[in-house]
Amino acid sequence: MGELDVERLVGSTLKEKYISQLLGDLEAIEQMLDQRMFDTDIHIGAEQEFCLVNEQWEPSNKAMEVLKALNDPHFTNEIALYNLEANLDPLLLTEDCFAKLHEQLNDLLAKAKTVAAKQNLKVILTGILPTIDSRHLHTSFMTPVERYQVLDETIRDLRGDDLELHIKGVDELNLHHDSILFEGCNTSFQAHLQLDATDFAAGYNWAQAIAGPVLSICANSPILMGRELWQETRIALFTQSVDTRASNFLLNERDARVGFGNDWARGSIVDFYKDSIVNFRSLLSANFSTDSLLELKQGKIPKLQALQLHNGTVYKWNRLCYGVTKGKPHVRIENRYMPSGPTTTDEIANFMFWAGIMCGRPRHLDNIHEKMDFKDAKGNFYNAARYGTAAQFYWEGKLIPCKELLLDHFLPMAYRGLYSMNVLPRDAEKYLAVIENRIKNKNGARWTIQSFRELKKEHKTADALRILTASIYEHEQKGYTVDAWRLARGNEYVPEEDQKQLRHYMNTKIVTAQENDSADLVLKMMQWRNIHHVPIMDIHFNLVGLLTWEDVKNYQHKPEALKKSVKSIMKTKLITATADIAMLEAKETMQLHQINCLPVIKGKKLVGIITTNDF
């Protein structure tokens, strides 16, 4: 679908025009089904999202400049200014189609890397860029395209509040934010597979049934903002990033706009789209330039612009898409759950594995909706996202460990499916061997976790994340698939002294007290934990004072003073800093004022602390 000038769907006149267009699109697609106009050949295609990073391995905001320099219709922007997308040409699913797709993917990325290098940037393939932090969620990092700004405003207005993010894994992440730029943290390799439009439900339900086990071996995004969360954290992150549902005291049954679904598909593609329109409020309208029913009467294939606009704001992990290729309409599954990277070979292997299973469905598993409880399929999917290859899956009435299911059931199924489509055996064996080696060794999520844990033994979290990103890039450049990667060494990136900022080295896990707390208890806590500095907060959690080890020495033999609150003995004249100053400047400030502790603030809020020991 070509670019439309979108706007918020408000006002009776605009809504009336939009609804008329949307209903016309539904009637048009129904007529095309009745007249058997849909393409019966099976094509594949893909979209490659990627990150742009600067010399410090942090997100760059120069995506628009890179896109302009690329000057290639295969590339387009994404919501965040550190992401771009490359769209690959569709190919008939047969013979060497995957090798051709891989060749074009490498060519496009080589072009992107060349253009990015001229601006001192690098291209990274990964599901979540490790070095993204809260700075990169500011609206200044949102791509200045009206569609994104309108969508952001609409979602926030529907919620009536800012966005909340809460993900709990090994660690826990809680954030409150004022835009949908959490979505920009996600980068995926979206695989497209055409479906038989006349038997849509069977193919779509099968895609739902196999999604969990397929996701488990593809996972590579376990870290967000230095926290170890889900094995494929994108699944939780994207769900919450564009959630239009506000928290309240009422039970809200409305579905999330990003999700797996709540039941098997039934009926035709028209029924599927009708359900989507019922379940999800339309958010946007546009300057529709065509009438779908009129185009059909004129012998043209309509673009179904209103339906596609609505569908573009409903983010199913298996999304049903309508398109037109070489003058023929088709429907396809857009697999959105597979992450970007970590190498193009890994991505094509993921795609081939999924496509092979899709085409290799055993006859006894036809009509899967009659043989598998939907909640088992959905549970499998979220277990895969949380636990990766450590998950267990319900399959054919049994609970089977992930690796056993993949090796004994899904790999043979993938081979049969690819051979049934006349895919060249050498290609099937080449790429499915990558999957087999990954099952037997490690996937991207496991490599990332093991590397990060080792790096944190010797490095501050911020440095560990930048080294981790540099290591991903280094391995990808060498072309080895992730199952063969060695853990990050630790010397892939060494920051220059003048590049070190306070935010990278300050401590954020801080013991604090409130000004009305007992002085005796707080000083005892400092002794118990050997803490030399405790920031003091007021009831609004603003920084108002500081207790130091000197205070412990001065008051531990004055029991009368300790019966009072912390407020009576804390220091209130504080020297503070902001997170964006250089470490050298912070050190000079501490030396100038002869202090051993420098609280780091944002406004009146404490965000970290740096001490002489940290230097």
Side-chain angles (χ1 to χ4, degrees):
M1 184 175 68
E3 287 297 322
L4 294 173
D5 294 329
V6 300
E7 55 187 319
R8 296 179 67 177
L9 187 57
V10 293
S12 57
T13 302
L14 188 62
K15 286 182 178 178
E16 184 179 337
K17 180 182 177 182
Y18 170 80
I19 295 300
S20 174
Q21 186 84 18
L22 185 61
L23 294 177
D25 287 353
L26 286 173
E27 189 175 342
I29 202 171
E30 198 155 21
Q31 288 185 22
M32 287 188 287
L33 271 175
D34 291 341
Q35 296 170 28
R36 296 189 172 274
M37 295 173 65
F38 279 87
D39 189 8
T40 55
D41 291 331
I42 299 179
H43 291 83
I44 60 171
E47 301 169 43
Q48 172 72 72
E49 298 173 351
F50 56 90
C51 302
L52 296 169
V53 299
N54 58 26
E55 292 175 306
Q56 287 77 51
W57 301 99
E58 295 186 339
S60 165
N61 62 355
K62 294 183 177 181
M64 296 299 279
E65 292 91 328
V66 173
L67 183 62
K68 183 179 179 181
L70 282 166
N71 191 29
D72 185 331
H74 286 96
F75 293 92
T76 187
N77 49 44
E78 287 286 304
I79 190 170
L81 280 172
Y82 41 83
N83 294 337
L84 285 175
E85 177 182 284
N87 292 284
L88 280 68
D89 298 328
L91 295 168
L92 188 65
L93 176 53
T94 190
E95 298 182 345
D96 61 348
C97 61
F98 287 100
K100 288 179 177 176
L101 196 77
H102 195 182
E103 182 180 4
Q104 187 191 22
L105 176 59
N106 283 337
D107 289 345
L108 288 172
L109 286 175
K111 185 174 183 179
K113 290 174 182 178
T114 300
V115 171
K118 292 178 180 177
Q119 301 197 39
N120 297 318
L121 305 176
K122 292 182 175 65
V123 169
I124 301 286
L125 301 181
T126 185
I128 296 177
L129 186 64
T131 49
I132 289 174
D133 64 35
S134 57
R135 290 172 298 155
H136 308 117
L137 303 178
H138 191 270
T139 51
S140 61
F141 274 87
M142 183 180 290
T143 300
V145 172
E146 186 178 17
R147 174 188 176 90
Y148 300 132
Q149 294 165 350
V150 170
L151 185 62
D152 179 45
E153 292 170 4
T154 303
I155 287 176
R156 286 192 289 114
D157 283 353
L158 283 173
R159 284 182 57 86
D161 197 1
D162 290 338
L163 297 167
E164 301 167 9
L165 180 69
H166 180 206
I167 306 175
K168 190 170 185 178
V170 175
D171 299 320
E172 190 169 0
L173 183 65
N174 288 288
L175 281 176
H176 190 83
H177 201 59
D178 61 357
S179 82
I180 62 170
L181 262 182
F182 284 127
E183 181 188 343
C185 300
N186 298 288
T187 37
S188 60
F189 180 79
Q190 295 170 16
H192 294 233
L193 180 67
Q194 197 168 312
L195 291 178
D196 179 355
T198 60
D199 191 25
F200 138 79
Y204 187 84
N205 288 336
W206 179 242
Q208 293 282 79
I210 67 174
V214 172
L215 172 62
S216 68
I217 198 60
C218 303
N220 77 5
S221 314
I223 291 172
L224 175 62
M225 297 188 185
R227 271 76 164 187
E228 190 179 314
L229 301 171
W230 292 12
Q231 297 289 290
E232 190 50 54
T233 302
R234 289 170 47 258
I235 303 303
L237 177 61
F238 195 22
T239 300
Q240 297 181 42
S241 67
V242 290
D243 199 346
T244 55
R245 303 168 302 171
S247 300
N248 55 45
F249 291 104
L250 301 175
L251 183 63
N252 190 338
E253 295 290 354
R254 185 176 288 274
D255 295 342
R257 296 195 85 88
V258 179
F260 188 79
N262 288 316
D263 202 354
W264 298 114
R266 290 178 173 83
S268 70
I269 54 178
V270 179
D271 297 315
F272 184 90
Y273 281 129
K274 285 178 180 177
D275 287 343
S276 178
I277 293 167
V278 169
N279 291 330
F280 300 101
R281 183 189 307 183
S282 294
L283 303 180
L284 307 175
S285 186
N287 59 325
F288 302 117
S289 58
T290 59
D291 181 299
S292 299
L293 292 172
L294 181 60
E295 284 189 307
L296 267 182
K297 289 180 180 178
Q298 295 172 344
K300 299 177 183 177
I301 303 300
K303 295 180 180 179
L304 308 183
Q305 291 178 327
L307 183 61
Q308 291 211 66
L309 185 60
H310 174 79
N311 197 47
T313 61
V314 180
Y315 308 91
K316 296 294 184 188
W317 292 113
N318 282 313
R319 180 153 71 178
L320 181 68
C321 296
Y322 167 87
V324 181
T325 303
K326 296 181 179 179
K328 286 187 176 182
H330 69 265
V331 287
R332 64 188 185 277
I333 288 183
E334 180 184 73
N335 180 326
R336 300 177 58 84
Y337 58 76
M338 293 193 292
S340 174
T343 70
T344 58
T345 303
D346 282 302
E347 291 176 328
I348 299 299
N350 293 341
F351 192 175
M352 185 177 269
F353 184 49
W354 172 64
I357 299 167
M358 283 293 296
C359 297
R361 181 178 73 230
R363 287 189 177 181
H364 74 278
L365 292 178
D366 286 345
N367 300 315
I368 191 70
H369 65 286
E370 297 174 355
K371 297 163 184 175
M372 184 178 190
D373 192 302
F374 182 81
K375 288 187 183 273
D376 281 340
K378 188 172 183 176
N380 286 347
F381 182 77
Y382 286 104
N383 280 338
R386 285 186 175 94
Y387 308 117
T389 53
Q392 297 186 90
F393 300 118
Y394 285 101
W395 191 255
E396 294 194 62
K398 300 177 183 177
L399 185 62
I400 305 177
C402 172
K403 294 188 175 183
E404 178 184 334
L405 180 63
L406 295 179
L407 285 172
D408 296 346
H409 297 262
F410 277 38
L411 261 179
M413 201 185 300
Y415 275 108
R416 288 195 300 271
L418 294 170
Y419 293 155
S420 74
M421 300 306 297
N422 297 315
V423 171
L424 294 182
R426 70 164 186 263
D427 287 350
E429 291 162 11
K430 172 186 174 181
Y431 290 106
L432 292 185
V434 172
I435 298 296
E436 183 174 356
N437 290 335
R438 205 188 299 160
I439 296 168
K440 293 178 177 178
N441 293 295
K442 59 182 176 296
N443 64 4
R446 197 62 198 162
W447 177 88
T448 301
I449 288 171
Q450 290 178 317
S451 291
F452 186 55
R453 289 176 181 175
E454 288 299 313
L455 290 171
K456 285 189 69 176
K457 292 177 181 178
E458 302 292 334
H459 302 274
K460 285 281 191 177
T461 297
D463 277 348
L465 293 171
R466 289 189 283 181
I467 294 168
L468 184 67
T469 306
S471 186
I472 291 171
Y473 177 81
E474 183 181 285
H475 281 99
E476 192 269 335
Q477 289 294 100
K478 291 179 179 177
Y480 300 126
T481 51
V482 72
D483 61 279
W485 285 13
R486 294 183 178 181
L487 298 186
R489 302 183 307 275
N491 63 349
E492 290 91 340
Y493 171 71
V494 180
E496 301 290 337
E497 285 298 321
D498 60 355
Q499 294 175 346
K500 294 181 178 180
Q501 288 186 318
L502 200 50
R503 72 173 67 257
H504 297 141
Y505 301 97
M506 66 186 186
N507 297 300
T508 55
K509 294 181 179 179
I510 313 162
V511 175
T512 64
Q514 291 206 307
E515 57 184 349
N516 293 324
D517 287 345
S518 159
D520 192 15
L521 177 60
V522 175
L523 292 176
K524 284 288 194 295
M525 287 167 54
M526 294 174 70
Q527 288 178 302
W528 297 338
R529 298 284 298 272
N530 194 28
I531 299 170
H532 287 214
H533 309 91
V534 174
I536 310 299
M537 313 295 188
D538 65 14
I539 59 173
H540 303 294
F541 296 97
N542 296 322
L543 178 67
V544 293
L546 185 71
L547 274 186
T548 70
W549 195 249
E550 289 300 317
D551 299 315
V552 176
K553 293 178 181 178
N554 292 338
Y555 289 101
Q556 61 184 348
H557 302 301
K558 300 178 182 178
E560 291 302 317
L562 296 181
K563 292 179 181 179
K564 301 178 181 179
S565 68
V566 170
K567 187 175 182 179
S568 64
I569 64 172
M570 69 184 185
K571 291 181 173 64
T572 56
K573 294 183 179 180
L574 305 180
I575 307 298
T576 62
T578 57
D580 56 359
I581 72 167
M583 283 289 284
L584 291 175
E585 182 181 345
K587 186 176 183 179
E588 290 170 359
T589 299
M590 294 172 70
Q591 290 173 340
L592 176 64
H593 295 280
Q594 296 183 326
I595 55 176
N596 295 316
C597 164
L598 188 64
V600 186
I601 60 172
K602 182 177 181 180
K604 296 181 180 180
K605 305 297 183 185
L606 183 74
V607 294
I609 195 170
I610 196 94
T611 71
T612 48
N613 287 339
D614 296 311
F615 287 101

